Amino acid sequence: MSRIVNDNFGPAGRTTTAVKANAKFTAVATATSSLSEVNVRHEGIDARNLADNYIVVKSIYADNDNSSEDFQYNMVGTYGGAFEVNHTGSSPSAGSGLLLDMSSSPMVLKNNDLLRIFHACVLTQDDGYGRVTQPATDYFMITFPVWDITSASLSNFETLPAHDSDLNNAATTQVDIDLEANKSGGIALYAMTGRNVVSGTDFLMRRNGMSVWHYKHGGADQTIYGIRINANGPYQYVQIGTSVRGWEQVTVSSTGITHVKMSHGHVGALQMRGGQP
Amino acid sequence: MTYKWTEGSQRTNALLDSDEVNREYNNYKNVLNGGIDRENIPLNAVTDLHLKSQAFWSYDLTRGIQPGLSTGVTHITYHTYHGGWRTDPASARTLTLREGMLHVDFSCWFQFVQLHPANEQRWCRFQLLLDNSVIARTGKDYSYVGNVNLSACVPVAGGAHTVDMQWQFTPPAVATAASTDAFFFSGGQLLINNRYR
């Protein structure tokens, strides 16, 4: 509270004294040192008074230029493993991929900030490299966001909080899913089978995956230098135990698909502040 | 301060009468006692450090949503589900909202065993409800794995409101054993943004 509560001089017609005048302006000085909502007129602040980005602190976006030739991943007779969804063409430059590069201007999450990472991609079976005709074999690929919170060199991308670290393992691994340390929000799944409705006729498998990861940051400031979309697979959904489900890595040869393309992808991140419960 | 006072500055006058001081001083006093507005505050002066939480918007985030009918992370079976819309308890949120816009966003992945017979093609679908009215709904998805992203922005009155996410899966065919693994979804995240400024 910083209202001024002193009274008028009085009675009318008398000459003021320096002591009384000083008391009044001391009250002004006191009030202005702790201005609060009681000093500001109701709805008195306009948009022009607000600094930029007072709700959306930072937003960043990248896509792959909508080229169907981007992000080709050749799965030749091996298990999969995590890999970057990179661009292989000439525009944009090779290697940029679905990367949000914030190394020159990092995102700094403060306590209670809301971070939203959304991404989508299209997985296409490369026609001519095998096709799948068994709809009951539930093979799938995944894409997921990872972040680099180590340095601006963007050389240490790691899984997001509460994701199984094996999600981003380049070796053959199994991803656990539970309700504690191995949550699975923000991960997009791409089915790898379709149905060859006419025997001997080529068909093109094409799947659209998308997901959003919502995260309320708690604690000390967290600097994020980069966010990237990685992929992994092929997987098969399995029961591991009584309380754990998982995605088990399967061989590429068992899927019948040796080449896939990840295309038409985009990734965006939104940092919002001031709405915490 | 860039504000132009409506009264003349007392510094330019000889102060002979207390009424003169009172009149001109009270002008300052009135501005400070609740009259400060956009004229007094410089451009871009108010940053997020000056703003109270929820000054412009508020959010409610629920993570780790998966079907309440499953045990742990196991599939729903036809022992407990025979079709129809189901509200997941974890995603039923009753909140006190302020008049403005409501942005509801739900995302998850799902998995089920698809069957071959043409008469038993399985599917699932999801929807969002605000006070039991549908505000967003997916179509039937026949893929054995996939993703759901539902998002809706609707105007909302002030007061208590309930947001639910509901899901639906194919009812069992005549020959389907009740113990058959039917359906599972996980990674569910429900974000509710209330924007009122």
Side-chain angles (χ1 to χ4, degrees):
Chain A
M1 178 72 77
S2 57
R3 284 185 182 277
I4 301 171
V5 294
N6 54 21
D7 299 325
N8 286 345
F9 292 120
R14 286 197 179 174
T15 304
T16 82
T17 67
V19 172
K20 291 183 177 179
N22 286 339
K24 282 183 172 291
F25 286 96
T26 298
V28 172
T30 302
T32 53
S33 66
S34 58
L35 295 178
S36 65
E37 71 274 14
V38 302
N39 300 104
V40 180
R41 182 175 297 163
H42 181 59
E43 300 193 345
I45 294 180
D46 211 341
R48 64 179 184 171
N49 302 122
L50 301 173
D52 292 340
N53 304 330
Y54 57 92
I55 294 177
V56 176
V57 181
K58 192 177 186 69
S59 62
I60 184 169
Y61 171 83
D63 63 29
N64 72 337
D65 205 24
N66 290 330
S67 168
S68 62
E69 296 302 318
D70 292 345
F71 308 150
Q72 179 166 322
Y73 176 58
N74 299 329
M75 306 186 302
V76 183
T78 63
Y79 282 99
F83 62 94
E84 297 172 350
V85 182
N86 267 336
H87 177 71
T88 56
S90 57
S91 177
S93 59
S96 58
L98 292 182
L99 169 65
L100 301 178
D101 185 348
M102 297 180 283
S103 56
S104 60
S105 178
M107 175 185 290
V108 180
L109 292 181
K110 294 187 176 298
N111 190 37
N112 290 323
D113 275 6
L114 177 68
L115 174 61
R116 307 179 64 201
I117 303 174
F118 33 89
H119 81 279
C121 220
V122 171
L123 181 143
T124 311
Q125 175 193 337
D126 197 358
D127 195 27
Y129 289 99
R131 55 193 64 87
V132 176
T133 57
Q134 299 297 321
T137 51
D138 52 351
Y139 305 127
F140 56 92
M141 299 285 290
I142 62 170
T143 56
F144 53 96
V146 290
W147 66 15
D148 191 329
I149 55 176
T150 304
S151 73
S153 64
L154 301 183
S155 57
N156 190 30
F157 282 95
E158 55 188 278
T159 46
L160 301 174
H163 275 178
D164 185 355
S165 60
D166 283 336
L167 201 63
N168 197 39
N169 195 327
T172 303
T173 53
Q174 176 179 278
V175 176
D176 292 345
I177 304 166
D178 57 35
L179 297 178
E180 305 300 330
N182 302 313
K183 293 189 177 73
S184 51
I187 302 173
L189 280 65
Y190 305 75
M192 293 183 70
T193 58
R195 192 163 208 183
N196 195 354
V197 293
V198 180
S199 178
T201 302
D202 286 350
F203 66 98
L204 190 64
M205 180 196 69
R206 189 177 178 85
R207 303 286 187 184
N208 183 210
M210 65 192 89
S211 194
V212 188
W213 187 68
H214 297 120
Y215 174 64
K216 177 186 175 185
H217 177 64
D221 290 2
Q222 176 67 68
T223 302
I224 304 172
Y225 299 96
I227 294 171
R228 164 181 288 292
I229 299 303
N230 281 2
N232 208 337
Y235 286 113
Q236 191 169 21
Y237 193 74
V238 291
Q239 172 86 45
I240 299 171
T242 56
S243 62
V244 179
R245 284 273 170 174
W247 298 333
E248 182 183 57
Q249 204 101 36
V250 295
T251 59
V252 170
S253 57
S254 67
T255 67
I257 300 175
T258 56
H259 288 60
V260 296
K261 288 177 181 174
M262 309 294 287
S263 64
H264 298 79
H266 66 90
V267 54
L270 197 64
Q271 178 190 9
M272 303 178 72
R273 183 171 297 165
Q276 67 270 20
Chain B
M1 192 175 290
T2 57
Y3 185 71
K4 292 182 179 178
W5 304 97
T6 56
E7 296 287 339
S9 170
Q10 54 191 340
R11 286 175 298 182
T12 63
N13 297 321
L15 300 178
L16 299 177
D17 191 322
S18 59
D19 281 350
E20 294 179 36
V21 179
N22 287 332
R23 185 175 64 251
E24 297 180 8
Y25 173 81
N26 286 342
N27 182 44
Y28 291 83
K29 183 177 171 179
N30 289 338
V31 170
L32 286 171
N33 283 356
I36 293 177
D37 63 11
R38 58 185 64 81
E39 299 297 327
N40 306 89
I41 301 171
L43 301 179
N44 301 321
V46 181
T47 71
D48 48 21
L49 299 176
H50 302 106
L51 298 171
K52 282 187 172 180
S53 172
Q54 303 187 349
F56 297 93
W57 67 294
S58 64
Y59 71 85
D60 179 84
L61 176 60
T62 307
R63 306 175 75 193
I65 298 172
Q66 64 179 34
L69 291 177
S70 61
T71 302
V73 289
T74 61
H75 278 82
I76 297 165
T77 69
Y78 288 123
H79 278 303
T80 53
Y81 179 78
H82 278 74
W85 289 106
R86 284 294 185 119
T87 298
D88 184 78
S91 65
R93 303 290 298 159
T94 297
L95 305 168
T96 301
L97 304 175
R98 294 174 62 177
E99 180 179 313
M101 290 300 290
L102 189 69
H103 170 209
V104 185
D105 196 292
F106 175 74
S107 174
C108 77
W109 59 270
F110 62 83
Q111 188 270 343
F112 56 85
V113 177
Q114 183 57 283
L115 303 177
H116 289 287
N119 61 353
E120 198 182 348
Q121 290 287 303
R122 291 176 168 182
W123 49 263
C124 66
R125 59 178 173 172
F126 295 76
Q127 66 182 15
L128 293 174
L129 296 92
L130 172 63
D131 298 329
N132 295 320
S133 295
V134 176
I135 55 175
R137 177 186 288 170
T138 69
K140 293 178 180 177
D141 198 325
Y142 290 81
S143 177
Y144 53 82
V145 295
N147 312 277
V148 173
N149 280 267
L150 282 169
S151 189
C153 285
V154 293
V156 65
H161 296 276
T162 300
V163 175
D164 296 304
M165 185 280 294
Q166 292 186 334
W167 55 269
Q168 188 178 25
F169 186 65
T170 327
V174 174
T176 304
S179 60
T180 304
D181 277 357
F183 177 61
F184 183 66
F185 70 89
S186 190
Q189 297 189 327
L190 179 67
L191 177 67
I192 303 170
N193 279 353
N194 184 199
R195 299 176 180 174
Y196 30 80
R197 297 299 299 172

